[in-house]
Amino acid sequence: MTHLPSVLLPARSRARLLAVAATTVAAVLLTTTGAAAAPAAGPAAGRLAAAPAAVTPTRTAPATSAPLTNLAHLDFLTDTVVPPSQAGHTTYRLAEEPAVGVLWVYADHQADGSYRRVGGGAFDAATNTYGQGAFDADDIARAAVVYLRHWTRYRDAHSLQQARGLLRGLTYLQTATGPHAGDVVLWMQPDGTLTPSATPKELPDPSDSGPSFWLARTVWALGEGYAALRQADPAFAAFLRTRLDLAITALDRDVLTRYGQYRVVDGTRMPAWLVVDGADASSEAVLGLAAAVRAGHRSARPALSKLADGIAAMGRGTADTWPYGAILPSATSQTLWHAWGAQMPAALAEAATVLDRPDLLPPAVADAATFTPRLLTATGPDNGWMPTPVDGSQIAYGADARVQSLLAVGDAAHAPGLRRVAGLAAAWFFGLNRAGTPMYDPATGVTHDGISPTGDVNLNSGAESTIHGLLTMQALDAAPDVAATARAATRLVLRDGQRTVEAESGTPSGGATAAPADPVWTGESQWGGGAFVLVTPGSTVTWSLPAAEQPRLVQAVVDVLPGPGAVSTFSVPAGRIGTVGYGGGGAQGVSPAPGALLPGALRRAVGPSAQDLTAITTRGTGRLDALLVTPVVSALVADGDGHSVALLANGSDRTATRTLTLPRARTVVQAYDRHGRLSAVSTTAGGMVRVAVPAGGFAIVWQ
């Protein structure tokens, strides 16, 4: 369950992700008001492992289904509860069917391989309650989507029953009357009692007092539920449509009244009408609205169109300028991107198709065809680039978002090359990750809760991880070609992409000094390595760059402030490669910090030989955070299942080449431009292949 808008992964989810890590990344989290919050205190922060007895899931996938999707562990997490009478809360046929479907939020791995279901927050054995609750709307909504999609594909009666129960539980959590009608209470206790105000405190508080991630996810589930069930169960579908309309009323009341308004964030206009100021949260609402509109619910079109407009406005950058074509998740920061919840490209692709609005596709294509290949060749689906990749933890939520977006954009933009990239993104679940181990088990349906920056695997398997692992498996079962790529790329052979050189790792002289960042979290981004170098007129900093296979592009991440500022000139022995300024930033506006940590590109590439890079500063002082050093053509190479697969990404504004040596004889190369369109196809008979990659585009090499 992830619930804070558009910042870092919430403390509770983050703590569980790193529960078995030998080391953790220091990160300062942000509350929904923009104030700094303390990091989680330890592995068990936010919950206590006290719950019903451990059980090992045993249900296998139906014989008629494809082999990857296995609902056993999700079934294990589901439960039913008979809630007491609570004002403003009811659901479909509650009097006739008093039990509603719910979902345990966590599952802790036990020494014998079984799992123990766990709630969120401190557990009080005397009252059998948690500080937060046992079940939450976020996960109930997304689990309902999994069951709905399974029923739609296989007509599996069990999945229909599960989906129906969870949708009834979800609509019980939705507030049906009063000034906040349509909003959603997040937490429920084991006995069905609602917890509008959780401990630790979450915003909004009470949780149904305004827009939220859980409202967006409720819209997602209700939209897909209406679309899937309108013929099979018209009466229940009509109820879901009524509740969807109630949720849209809440969006109209609290979010979409600001449609067309913008706010300034460090000199950049950002849309003011996104759910909790997040393109990430809004994207999940768009998925549900698009499903409903496709199913004939025309009155959902205005909300769909408005939210899609806001998401599209968050697309930024080019292959060589931050954020490299990505759609940013937060409308209060132009320097932060995270993989979790980043379903913005998928949402735009769905909206563009349903609304017949091709103008929504370009930012989605840029995210899929330019940014995502850069991400995959650099690190994979990290939880935080801010703008350096300071949070290298990875979870299923982030990996799945890349897969879903690549597939949706590939279909909408008629760019089939994105399907191969989707296969490489999905390979994260089968071992193509920094832990080098499968994160999903088709035999049990378990998806592990994440990988730490040092490669430690959290063996727990809570609701969110299980859900997003299954959403990817469902996508792969529907796309055998994509699944084949994912299963053929399970072992990492080479990852040669963007690397971070911390500024403080260089040698300063002439007045330049390294200093700790206090605080590390700026309010909208984070200092890499927890420090920076203060540069002054006449000072120098020198870094030793090792030899590499490729010429390298260098970007200097600096604190860009309004007004005049210092200028650093960067040189290598062969000559000057560019300058970066620390001034000229825009007005702060609603940004939490007066400056912005932004990468400034140095226009000449650095050769592949080992050499020193020196920055000489003039005209004032400035704070230098890091260098981003990226091969002109980055590479990800993997193998498995008798095949080798490579992804090449061109981070420059002109066609560039890279030579690969692969183990097998016959090689097929497909090159794609920055729009994801096929540019060239070639076949070679040897293991060495020279690939020309279009500007800002990518290539797939297959053996």
Side-chain angles (χ1 to χ4, degrees):
M1 203 261 330
T2 306
H3 52 79
L4 289 185
S6 306
V7 284
L8 302 181
L9 193 68
R12 184 174 53 80
S13 296
R14 180 179 171 82
R16 294 185 59 82
L17 170 64
L18 303 178
V20 297
T23 60
T24 61
V25 170
V28 182
L29 306 181
L30 188 68
T31 68
T32 51
T33 60
R47 60 90 182 165
L48 191 67
V55 177
T56 301
T58 57
R59 182 176 184 263
T60 58
T64 57
S65 72
L68 290 175
T69 302
N70 185 340
L71 301 177
H73 191 66
L74 188 63
D75 286 348
F76 162 66
L77 293 174
T78 58
D79 208 339
T80 60
V81 66
V82 178
S85 177
Q86 296 170 93
H89 292 272
T90 186
T91 191
Y92 183 71
R93 291 176 55 86
L94 184 62
E96 296 84 357
E97 303 174 59
V100 300
V102 290
L103 192 80
W104 284 90
V105 68
Y106 296 131
D108 281 356
H109 184 261
Q110 306 296 295
D112 63 358
S114 64
Y115 287 86
R116 182 180 296 276
R117 301 183 299 187
V118 182
F123 181 67
D124 185 337
T127 60
N128 190 32
T129 60
Y130 295 87
Q132 293 167 308
F135 325 117
D136 68 85
D138 273 337
D139 295 322
I140 291 172
R142 289 179 287 180
V145 170
V146 172
Y147 283 118
L148 287 164
R149 293 182 180 182
H150 194 262
W151 179 78
T152 299
R153 180 172 174 81
Y154 299 109
R155 288 301 190 262
D156 180 83
H158 173 80
S159 293
L160 176 60
Q161 179 185 16
Q162 294 284 77
R164 188 178 184 276
L166 290 173
L167 288 168
R168 293 181 67 247
L170 178 64
T171 47
Y172 185 87
L173 287 161
Q174 185 183 38
T175 299
T177 60
H180 297 294
D183 286 316
V184 181
V185 173
L186 177 57
W187 287 103
M188 177 185 281
Q189 297 292 346
D191 67 351
T193 302
L194 301 179
T195 310
S197 296
T199 303
K201 185 177 180 180
E202 296 160 325
L203 297 177
D205 183 33
S207 56
D208 64 342
S209 61
S212 60
F213 255 104
W214 38 101
L215 170 61
R217 290 167 181 151
T218 295
V219 171
W220 183 9
L222 294 178
E224 292 218 14
Y226 168 71
L229 303 177
R230 70 190 191 284
Q231 294 180 345
D233 192 344
F236 186 44
F239 168 77
L240 296 177
R241 176 170 172 161
T242 299
R243 287 304 188 91
L244 175 60
D245 289 341
L246 191 62
I248 293 172
T249 298
L251 290 175
D252 287 337
R253 178 184 66 231
D254 299 327
V255 177
L256 298 178
T257 54
R258 298 188 295 274
Y259 178 70
Q261 299 176 22
Y262 292 84
R263 294 177 297 187
V264 173
V265 177
D266 297 316
T268 300
R269 289 203 329 159
M270 296 287 203
W273 67 92
L274 294 171
V275 181
V276 291
D277 288 326
D280 44 12
S282 299
S283 69
E284 301 194 329
V286 163
L287 294 175
L289 293 169
V293 171
R294 184 179 286 109
H297 188 11
R298 297 186 60 83
S299 60
R301 290 177 68 93
L304 171 61
S305 183
K306 291 174 182 178
L307 285 179
D309 283 341
I311 295 169
M314 296 297 292
R316 295 286 192 279
T318 62
D320 58 355
T321 60
W322 170 263
Y324 319 115
I327 301 172
L328 293 176
S330 171
T332 61
S333 173
Q334 57 172 307
T335 58
L336 180 151
W337 182 88
H338 54 70
W340 61 267
Q343 303 202 78
M344 296 82 77
L348 288 182
E350 294 294 333
T353 302
V354 170
L355 297 173
D356 192 21
R357 285 191 52 190
D359 60 297
L360 294 173
L361 267 181
V365 171
D367 190 298
T370 297
F371 170 70
T372 299
R374 182 188 184 105
L375 175 75
L376 296 179
T377 57
T379 61
D382 281 351
N383 275 351
W385 284 21
M386 299 175 259
T388 61
V390 296
D391 186 353
S393 42
Q394 298 177 356
I395 58 176
Y397 193 11
D400 174 56
R402 290 297 89 193
V403 176
Q404 303 293 341
S405 289
L406 287 160
L407 291 175
V409 176
D411 288 346
H414 306 291
L418 295 178
R419 295 175 71 85
R420 278 283 169 84
V421 184
L424 285 166
W428 183 90
F429 290 94
F430 302 109
L432 190 60
N433 51 57
R434 63 168 48 97
T437 189
M439 296 297 289
Y440 172 78
D441 181 3
T444 62
V446 164
T447 301
H448 298 312
D449 270 349
I451 305 172
S452 79
T454 54
D456 298 287
V457 176
N458 184 339
L459 295 178
N460 297 333
S461 184
E464 181 176 273
S465 299
T466 303
I467 289 162
H468 285 284
L470 289 172
L471 287 172
T472 289
M473 296 310 122
Q474 290 177 322
L476 295 181
D477 285 342
D481 58 321
V482 180
T485 301
R487 302 308 292 269
T490 56
R491 187 178 72 88
L492 179 65
V493 176
L494 170 71
R495 177 171 265 142
D496 183 22
Q498 175 185 293
R499 294 292 180 266
T500 303
V501 178
E502 296 296 349
E504 60 272 19
S505 70
T507 301
S509 62
T513 56
D518 186 16
V520 174
W521 171 247
T522 71
E524 61 180 356
S525 57
Q526 186 168 316
W527 292 95
F532 57 85
V533 170
L534 180 66
V535 296
T536 58
S539 67
T540 66
V541 187
T542 300
W543 302 267
S544 295
L545 300 182
E549 292 187 20
Q550 277 267 300
R552 292 157 285 183
L553 303 170
V554 180
Q555 295 184 324
V557 180
V558 303
D559 188 17
V560 178
L561 294 167
V567 175
S568 291
T569 300
F570 290 78
S571 302
V572 293
R576 192 173 79 169
I577 63 170
T579 62
V580 172
Y582 300 74
Q588 179 177 350
V590 300
S591 168
L597 292 177
L598 289 171
L602 305 176
R603 290 303 174 183
R604 286 184 54 198
V606 177
S609 62
Q611 56 193 297
D612 286 346
L613 172 65
T614 299
I616 301 176
T617 300
T618 58
R619 291 173 25 199
T621 62
R623 295 191 290 181
L624 175 61
D625 179 35
L627 305 178
L628 298 177
V629 181
T630 308
V632 173
V633 178
S634 302
L636 171 69
V637 182
D639 66 17
D641 196 26
H643 295 280
S644 294
V645 189
L647 170 66
L648 302 179
N650 186 347
S652 73
D653 59 0
R654 63 190 64 184
T655 298
T657 62
R658 179 157 186 162
T659 300
L660 292 177
T661 301
L662 300 174
R664 296 170 180 87
R666 187 174 183 275
T667 304
V668 177
V669 178
Q670 296 173 313
Y672 298 87
D673 66 15
R674 62 187 177 88
H675 304 292
R677 299 178 301 210
L678 184 64
S679 173
V681 180
S682 62
T683 303
T684 63
M688 180 176 290
V689 57
R690 189 170 185 264
V691 183
V693 186
F698 65 94
I700 299 291
V701 183
W702 177 270
Q703 287 189 328

